[in-house]
Amino acid sequence: MSTRYPFTAVVGMDDLRLALLLNAVSPAVGGVLVRGEKGTAKSTAVRALAELLPEVPVVAGCRFSCDPASPDPGCPDGPHDDAPGTVRPARMVELPVGASEDRLVGALDIEKALAEGVKAFEPGLLAAAHRGILYVDEVNLLSDHLIDHLLDAAAMGASHVEREGVSVRHAARFLLVGTMNPEEGELRPQLLDRFGLTVEVAASRDPEQRVEVVRRRLAFEDDPAAFTARWAGEEAALRERIVAARALLSQVTLGDAVLLQIAATCAAFEVDGMRADIVMARTATALAAWAGRTEVTSEDVRQAALLALPHRRRRSPFDAPGLDEDKLDETLEQFKGDDDPEPDGPGDGGPGGGGGGVPPQGDGPEGPAPESAEGPAPESAEVPESAPAPAPQGAGAGERAAVKAGEPFRTKVLSVPGLGEGAAGRRSRSRTEHGRTTGSTRPRGALTKLHLAATVQAAAPHQRARGRSGPGLVVRRDDLRQATREGREGNLVLFAVDASGSMAARQRMSAVKGAVLSLLLDAYQRRDKVGLVTFRGRDAEVALPPTSSVDAAAARLEKLPTGGRTPLSAGLLKAHDVLRVERLRDPSRRPLLVVVTDGRATGGGADPVALAARAARLHAADGTASVVVDCETGPVRLGLAGNLARELGGTAVTLDELRADSIAGLVRDVQADNATRRAA
């Protein structure tokens, strides 16, 4: 087993260490989501936490970690009436992003269940994580069907496996810890709300602190055992403090005045539901216990709000998480009780306020650690929206500054025709492991989804030859049939946006940006990857390579200036290059090209219209599904966008037709006209 980096040797990142320690003291807090740029030791800190957790008493031989004091009556390995108990270290189970459903929830041997009537169940990662930590690195890239199982287990404290009438249930209560880089996309709101606390981390900009990080990391890699041994004393002291805080937790009182502050804070920041209130109460209680106190203070409530509320205030994937601390202080002061206790326990005044700070790192075996310079992560480090916009190209007469996007709206569903086999999503039809059953086939490898009717039909003609004498059906391996299912996939939606002078009218460009923003929201909801190509002046550029982060695309779009000629052919050729590379990287993900333009071509060569048509035919030859969003306005319309759509082999929609409500209204109008005619 590899040696883990000591938790107490982690430099800085006080908020992250505090959030992890609070969950170690009180697992009921609900876990931690760690957001931050790559290379900030997120995973190192999380993995180090497992070494600090107290040992877990379990029933000897139970694969589901039942507690000897109160074993699960429905445990598949039970009953455990007189089973001996033992202790083992707390587990940290890692869930890979690419794990299968069977690996997560467990595998049921359908063949043995049908042929022999035996429940042969192999526990999955949810069973292994019971009463421990379930860690998901890059949790924002987790597949939807795995997220659904995590949500069910987190809500019910149990995992259910049901296949063709065979059912297995076992307890699955765990501390959920996830790390993610926001540049790679955001989490589904349902899973985001399941994390009790969230922390933003960024690399320190203090040179001395960075030097200390490098020094300690190199020392660990040179001799992990010796480095860990040098930090053993600090690790033991921290472990003892966690045990003491756990013992004190039941004695901490949460007064009415403090509860009012918690409720008022959640109401002031308009968080959805009541989970935030409960998490804040548990976090404030854990902070008091961690500081060695039996009463919760206003400072505990403040620190709990900073950890529990930022990720619950997001209303769309384009909103940056955060909390207005001035508003928080005003709310706490307004509802502060006269008898609010002052902090008086050990550790008061530490980082984080309320006496809930992590212990000072001290001199340590590598010399004195520099004082942490990390406060709240700077915006430039936490959110990709603030990444600098691409420098304007082809600047010339008529260039205008960027305008704000119009109000987003619900869009018409744009999809790729045919049947794909890409990553699970919600846009185009696809063969998937989940969805409605459309047929059956012989299984290739292990059977995962049984088609019961097809299996019985295959086995029925052979019953006499197999010597069947009883009521049971004699089923053999060759009779089993795998269900084929049809669901939805996510696509690569590549936007090619015309930012030329013909699009530069302020009101018009605002509407265009609002339409693209609406399509980006739709792409987020349908689990697509997105990319952004812009063209103006003399050339085109990739403003954003294909990514899962739709908020990054929205940020680049917001800062997009306009002006100059319309190099339509350059934009289409640049989009063709992007799609060619992406087909090599991810051949199963089908692309959808969305060209946002008025169809004019005034730059790029001697005959820009012919060049644009030739570039469009390249996409048609590749079979790329495409949609042209026609931005032409005014009483006289040239229909140039429609011509472009025909060359692309796609369809054209106007900005008005892009709205889902306008289409629904059009359908209602047609139905009303038909009803009127029938009545006449």
Side-chain angles (χ1 to χ4, degrees):
M1 182 178 176
S2 60
T3 304
R4 287 187 175 134
Y5 192 88
F7 188 86
T8 49
V10 175
V11 178
M13 297 198 296
D14 293 338
D15 287 343
L16 171 58
R17 293 189 295 141
L18 177 60
L20 292 171
L21 289 170
L22 292 177
N23 275 274
V25 171
S26 176
V29 166
V32 186
L33 175 64
V34 187
R35 295 165 47 94
E37 57 195 14
K38 51 188 176 292
T40 49
K42 303 185 295 292
S43 301
T44 298
V46 172
R47 293 188 176 101
L49 177 68
E51 301 295 326
L52 299 175
L53 298 181
E55 291 186 323
V56 179
V58 296
V59 173
C62 178
R63 298 175 297 167
F64 301 88
S65 303
C66 282
D67 187 348
S70 57
D72 181 7
C75 176
D77 284 356
H80 300 304
D81 296 333
D82 300 313
T86 184
V87 294
R88 61 160 176 78
R91 289 177 183 159
M92 190 187 77
V93 176
E94 295 196 37
L95 171 60
V97 169
S100 65
E101 180 181 348
D102 286 346
R103 184 73 187 99
L104 177 63
V105 302
L108 195 63
D109 193 329
I110 300 296
E111 182 178 357
K112 190 172 288 187
L114 285 176
E116 303 175 22
V118 176
K119 289 184 182 179
F121 182 69
E122 184 65 29
L125 296 177
L126 290 179
H130 179 47
R131 304 177 68 204
I133 301 173
L134 182 63
Y135 171 51
V136 189
D137 192 15
E138 306 294 353
V139 64
N140 50 326
L141 303 182
L142 205 61
S143 300
D144 275 4
H145 65 283
L146 298 184
I147 289 178
D148 291 338
H149 288 296
L150 278 182
L151 290 172
D152 289 343
M156 299 183 294
S159 175
H160 295 262
V161 182
E162 308 237 2
R163 298 262 180 93
E164 285 72 35
V166 181
S167 176
V168 174
R169 175 210 165 275
H170 64 83
R173 291 182 295 275
F174 46 81
L175 178 62
L176 182 61
V177 181
T179 55
M180 60 174 281
N181 181 353
E183 293 178 358
E184 296 171 343
E186 288 294 342
L187 272 178
R188 281 174 54 180
Q190 297 93 328
L191 183 58
L192 189 65
D193 189 51
R194 282 293 172 184
F195 286 98
L197 311 179
T198 187
V199 178
E200 298 280 342
V201 298
S204 172
R205 301 298 183 255
D206 179 6
E208 292 185 5
Q209 192 171 47
R210 294 174 77 98
V211 166
E212 187 63 23
V213 170
V214 174
R215 181 184 291 121
R216 293 187 186 184
R217 188 69 207 185
L218 292 178
F220 174 75
E221 292 176 354
D222 288 343
D223 192 343
F227 183 86
T228 303
R230 289 198 293 272
W231 287 90
E234 287 82 353
E235 292 282 290
L238 192 56
R239 193 176 296 111
E240 290 174 4
R241 186 173 174 185
I242 291 173
V243 172
R246 280 191 173 189
L248 185 63
L249 190 64
S250 60
Q251 303 174 37
V252 176
T253 58
L254 200 64
D256 290 343
V258 170
L259 279 173
L260 181 60
Q261 280 187 318
I262 291 172
T265 301
C266 293
F269 286 101
E270 300 179 348
V271 295
D272 295 331
M274 294 297 298
R275 184 173 285 118
D277 304 63
I278 297 170
V279 170
M280 273 190 64
R282 289 171 175 167
T283 304
T285 303
L287 279 163
W290 179 244
R293 290 183 274 102
T294 57
E295 288 184 277
V296 176
T297 68
S298 292
E299 283 300 312
D300 295 328
V301 175
R302 186 182 192 279
Q303 182 64 43
L306 292 174
L307 293 172
L309 295 188
H311 61 300
R312 293 186 164 88
R313 296 193 62 244
R314 301 191 68 175
R315 293 295 181 264
S316 83
F318 308 142
D319 295 336
L323 214 61
D324 184 342
E325 295 194 33
D326 291 337
K327 181 178 179 180
L328 173 61
D329 291 336
E330 291 174 5
T331 304
L332 293 176
E333 185 63 31
Q334 180 181 355
F335 291 90
K336 184 176 182 178
D338 296 334
D339 57 348
D340 184 44
E342 293 295 325
D344 59 1
D348 295 340
V358 294
Q361 292 173 313
D363 289 349
E366 300 296 326
E371 194 172 316
S372 173
E374 295 193 41
E379 283 190 17
S380 60
E382 23 176 272
V383 204
E385 287 89 336
S386 60
Q393 293 189 10
E399 179 174 318
R400 303 192 183 189
V403 298
K404 286 191 171 295
E407 194 67 25
F409 51 84
R410 190 165 62 90
T411 66
K412 174 185 178 180
V413 179
L414 307 177
S415 61
V416 178
L419 193 63
E421 294 182 348
R426 296 183 177 180
R427 184 172 296 279
S428 305
R429 293 175 54 222
S430 174
R431 296 184 185 90
T432 62
E433 288 293 320
H434 305 271
R436 62 185 182 89
T437 300
T438 58
S440 64
T441 185
R442 290 181 181 273
R444 293 179 292 182
L447 179 72
T448 56
K449 300 288 184 182
L450 178 75
H451 194 297
L452 185 58
T455 299
V456 171
Q457 188 175 7
H462 308 290
Q463 296 306 295
R464 181 174 297 178
R466 293 173 183 174
R468 171 185 170 185
S469 57
L473 192 68
V474 181
V475 180
R476 294 182 179 171
R477 173 70 187 175
D478 290 343
D479 302 327
L480 298 177
R481 295 293 182 269
Q482 175 87 16
T484 57
R485 301 194 174 195
E486 182 179 310
R488 295 280 170 177
E489 66 178 359
N491 298 110
L492 165 59
V493 182
L494 180 63
F495 294 92
V497 180
D498 183 351
S500 64
S502 64
M503 302 278 287
R506 259 195 180 315
Q507 188 174 0
R508 183 178 178 188
M509 196 60 194
S510 177
V512 168
K513 284 188 175 183
V516 178
L517 190 66
S518 303
L519 289 168
L520 285 170
L521 277 168
D522 184 66
Y524 166 76
Q525 294 165 351
R526 298 185 188 281
R527 313 291 182 261
D528 296 319
K529 289 179 70 175
V530 296
L532 179 62
V533 171
T534 63
F535 52 97
R536 57 186 290 272
R538 295 185 298 272
D539 203 358
E541 65 176 342
V542 181
L544 185 73
T547 175
S548 297
S549 180
V550 295
D551 50 345
R556 301 295 171 89
L557 177 74
E558 189 72 21
K559 298 175 182 178
L560 179 66
T562 57
R565 291 182 175 273
T566 310
L568 181 56
S569 60
L572 294 174
L573 289 174
K574 184 67 71 174
H576 186 265
D577 289 342
V578 171
L579 295 180
R580 177 178 54 81
V581 173
E582 286 302 309
R583 283 191 181 95
L584 297 175
R585 289 178 177 170
D586 190 357
S588 64
R589 188 182 288 270
R590 296 187 296 163
L592 174 63
L593 175 64
V594 179
V595 184
V596 184
T597 181
D598 57 8
R600 298 173 187 269
T602 59
D607 191 348
V609 175
L611 288 174
R614 188 180 305 169
R617 287 194 289 271
L618 288 176
H619 289 280
D622 289 341
T624 302
S626 58
V627 175
V628 177
V629 179
D630 184 358
C631 303
E632 191 176 24
T633 56
V636 179
R637 305 174 70 91
L638 302 178
L640 298 176
N643 295 337
L644 176 62
R646 283 189 288 275
E647 295 288 359
L648 286 166
T651 58
V653 295
T654 65
L655 288 174
D656 288 337
E657 291 171 343
L658 194 61
R659 293 178 177 269
D661 51 359
S662 68
I663 292 170
L666 177 63
V667 172
R668 286 194 296 270
D669 291 343
V670 171
Q671 290 174 338
D673 289 344
N674 290 339
T676 303
R677 291 192 190 98
R678 284 195 297 269

